[in-house]
Amino acid sequence: MNVLVIGTGGREHAIALALRKSKKLKRLFCSPGNPGTKTIAENIALNISDHNNVIEFCKSNEINLVVVGPEQPLVDGLADSLRENSILVFGPSSNAARIESSKSFAKRIMNNAQVATAAYKEFYVNQFEETLDYLKGIKYPIVLKADGLAAGKGVIICGDFSEAKEAVKDFFVNKIFGSSGDKIIIEEFLTGEEASVFAITDGEDFVCLSAAQDHKRIGDNDTGKNTGGMGAYAPTPLITEKLQQKIEKEIIAPTLNELKRSGNKFIGCLYAGLIITESGPKVIEFNCRFGDPEAQVVLPLIEGDFLELLYSAANGKIEKNSIKYSGGCSVCIVAASGGYPDKYEKGLLINGLDLTNENIIIYHAGTIEKDGNILTNGGRVLGVTSVINSNDLLTAKMIAYQAIEKISFDGMYYRKDISDKALKFI
Ligand code: AMP
Ligand code: GLY
């Protein structure tokens, strides 16, 4: 089979590497890809927002499957355009991708499906005073969310009314998220540990991969600003077998059923962001794609044929037995540019990438190749990831940290506590 992976991050490097292992794979393309995917696939510069450009490429290269990594092309209808041209694609339609691109759509699906989520209320940009009146009479903390996509930054946790007022001003008056913040939801604050669950689905049937924990804040012990994710580990002992079954039965299955029933059949990877509260797991967000950096730890733990899994799901009849969990564990530490998630420099030389260790994968994210050197080119630069055969997370953590210490660039920053959360549940 010939496969095209769309995207440029660490997640797409991980998807490409997992597909590479399949005996059924003939040619693997990544667009645009990155210097990491270049070592395992053919990088190809397509204009992803020009769907005809992608369709033409697929036709002339006999592409059997397209795997779309990021949310934006899905929200923009790339999967729809490909399907209209009889090109098989792993990724939801634009309508189904609203599970991520519209928080109010996601809430309606969850309410109809009776899936546990935080209680909420919706407000529009023309309801400034009404929103403030509502915020005066409620208990804090509270969570304000832009309805639309906001690059992972559209969530503000407010400790009191004055913080909430400032946040509403930012959404409705200063328009810091543009039209994505013209509608907001105000949501109950949930307490508990977070987990990411990934269901690979053909729209009806599904199989879940190992549950992971992300580390969203920039600082150790979950302090400082939110980021795209500073590291992850899997599987997480927080999600016991029993809890996993409950999540599949009470969250994933009813959500997929309701999406299908409402004419929004979801084919692809449904990512459930959960908080495990005292009264059970509750959804804080759904995404229409694999997590980043969670994919970097979840995908190397798969044994079997990942291509077969995605191909069969895209084709409407998922072969759930094409993969199984290896029994191992994985820890990914993100090496970020100094200053991230605020301003940072680009174009800095990365040293130590020649490191070889059979338990280490160095995923590329924000990197670029120039004159034979690899330079930094983004906020999250690399995902240094250990993968071991046993479920000994402490060893996996040690191997990952020993590796990242051998890699350097000016201002390189990484968290020192990735996977420590797991110790609470062991
Ligand atoms: P999101 O962009 O939806 O992943 O949200 C970013 C972060 O905000 C999450 O990882 C949580 O830590 C936090 N968060 C979102 N919704 C809630 C909620 N209802 N209660 C508590 N924390 C939340
Ligand atoms: N790791 C968070 C996300 O992919 O949205």
Side-chain angles (χ1 to χ4, degrees):
M1 270 190 251
N2 297 329
V3 181
L4 169 64
V5 176
I6 306 280
T8 184
R11 167 183 51 208
E12 287 74 26
H13 190 179
I15 292 171
L17 197 59
L19 290 169
R20 184 81 260 168
K21 293 181 191 156
S22 169
K23 290 198 177 66
K24 297 196 168 112
L25 185 77
K26 213 159 97 195
R27 291 182 79 181
L28 181 60
F29 298 92
C30 288
S31 183
N34 63 37
T37 63
K38 194 182 159 192
T39 62
I40 51 168
E42 298 170 61
N43 282 352
I44 175 93
L46 298 172
N47 180 359
I48 303 303
S49 49
D50 176 358
H51 295 178
N52 283 332
N53 188 223
V54 182
I55 290 161
E56 279 312 308
F57 176 83
C58 291
K59 286 188 173 160
S60 49
N61 290 278
E62 295 173 5
I63 296 295
N64 304 98
L65 178 69
V66 179
V67 181
V68 184
E71 63 278 13
Q72 194 66 57
L74 294 165
V75 171
D76 293 344
L78 179 60
D80 305 75
S81 301
L82 291 167
R83 286 196 184 101
E84 280 158 23
N85 284 272
S86 308
I87 298 162
L88 212 58
V89 51
F90 181 81
S93 68
S94 171
N95 272 340
R98 284 182 295 166
I99 197 85
E100 174 165 1
S101 67
S102 167
K103 295 210 186 279
S104 52
F105 173 81
K107 286 289 195 189
R108 273 199 300 282
I109 294 287
M110 283 188 269
N111 281 351
N112 290 345
Q114 295 186 324
V115 164
T117 183
Y120 77 108
K121 246 175 124 60
E122 284 174 32
F123 291 93
Y124 291 84
V125 65
N126 60 359
Q127 292 178 300
F128 184 67
E129 291 301 332
E130 228 175 302
T131 313
L132 294 190
D133 283 345
Y134 173 75
L135 286 167
K136 276 178 197 153
I138 55 170
K139 264 194 7 219
Y140 286 85
I142 197 84
V143 187
L144 265 64
K145 298 185 174 181
D147 185 63
L149 290 183
K153 300 191 177 98
V155 174
I156 303 179
I157 296 170
C158 305
D160 56 30
F161 173 71
S162 76
E163 278 177 31
K165 187 176 168 186
E166 284 313 303
V168 175
K169 255 196 210 158
D170 278 344
F171 284 115
F172 287 166
V173 183
N174 303 331
K175 290 191 168 282
I176 60 169
F177 299 113
S179 59
S180 283
D182 280 351
K183 187 173 172 188
I184 61 169
I185 66 169
I186 299 179
E187 188 174 277
E188 164 198 16
F189 179 84
L190 299 174
T191 311
E193 278 291 333
E194 291 181 41
S196 309
V197 168
F198 303 97
I200 308 296
T201 178
D202 59 13
E204 291 180 22
D205 207 358
F206 66 92
V207 61
C208 283
L209 307 179
S210 308
Q213 275 198 302
D214 188 8
H215 297 64
K216 284 201 171 121
R217 305 291 198 94
I218 188 73
D220 287 356
N221 301 314
D222 294 336
T223 52
K225 290 194 170 170
N226 247 330
T227 71
M230 294 302 295
Y233 76 90
T236 173
L238 168 67
I239 307 296
T240 58
E241 184 105 27
K242 198 166 153 217
L243 196 49
Q244 178 70 30
Q245 279 170 13
K246 188 176 166 72
I247 291 164
E248 293 187 14
K249 187 160 166 256
E250 295 176 13
I251 293 176
I252 305 293
T255 300
L256 291 174
N257 284 342
E258 177 57 20
L259 280 163
K260 181 170 176 254
R261 191 205 61 78
S262 58
N264 300 290
K265 188 169 165 178
F266 186 103
I267 298 167
C269 174
L270 181 69
Y271 164 153
L274 307 174
I275 292 193
I276 313 304
T277 70
E278 269 183 357
S279 60
K282 292 191 177 177
V283 178
I284 50 165
E285 65 169 349
F286 276 119
N287 294 318
C288 62
R289 50 165 176 87
F290 289 102
D292 185 343
E294 292 98 319
Q296 288 88 313
V297 288
V298 169
L299 300 188
L301 300 180
I302 290 176
E303 263 175 9
D305 196 323
F306 185 55
L307 172 53
E308 173 72 33
L309 182 74
L310 301 195
Y311 182 83
S312 61
N315 213 9
K317 186 90 196 73
I318 189 169
E319 294 282 354
K320 295 199 282 188
N321 295 330
S322 48
I323 59 146
K324 68 176 176 57
Y325 163 55
S326 70
C329 70
S330 177
V331 174
C332 170
I333 308 158
V334 169
S337 297
Y340 174 78
D342 296 321
K343 254 182 75 176
Y344 53 83
E345 243 184 282
K346 285 185 187 177
L348 303 167
L349 181 68
I350 307 172
N351 300 299
L353 289 175
D354 51 356
L355 176 136
T356 49
N357 177 334
E358 61 175 16
N359 295 113
I360 289 290
I361 305 170
I362 303 173
Y363 293 111
H364 286 239
T367 65
I368 192 167
E369 194 176 335
K370 234 182 198 156
D371 306 325
N373 289 317
I374 305 289
L375 311 179
T376 66
N377 193 41
R380 294 190 292 169
V381 177
L382 301 167
V384 180
T385 305
S386 62
V387 184
I388 63 169
N389 290 331
S390 77
N391 66 358
D392 178 3
L393 271 167
L394 276 178
T395 300
K397 176 189 170 187
M398 187 186 72
I399 293 172
Y401 275 101
Q402 279 171 353
I404 202 167
E405 279 160 20
K406 299 196 174 84
I407 295 168
S408 64
F409 51 86
D410 278 353
M412 178 172 122
Y413 169 82
Y414 57 90
R415 273 179 65 161
K416 308 290 185 299
D417 64 342
I418 303 299
S419 80
D420 286 356
K421 292 170 195 277
L423 302 179
K424 281 189 255 174
F425 324 117
I426 294 175

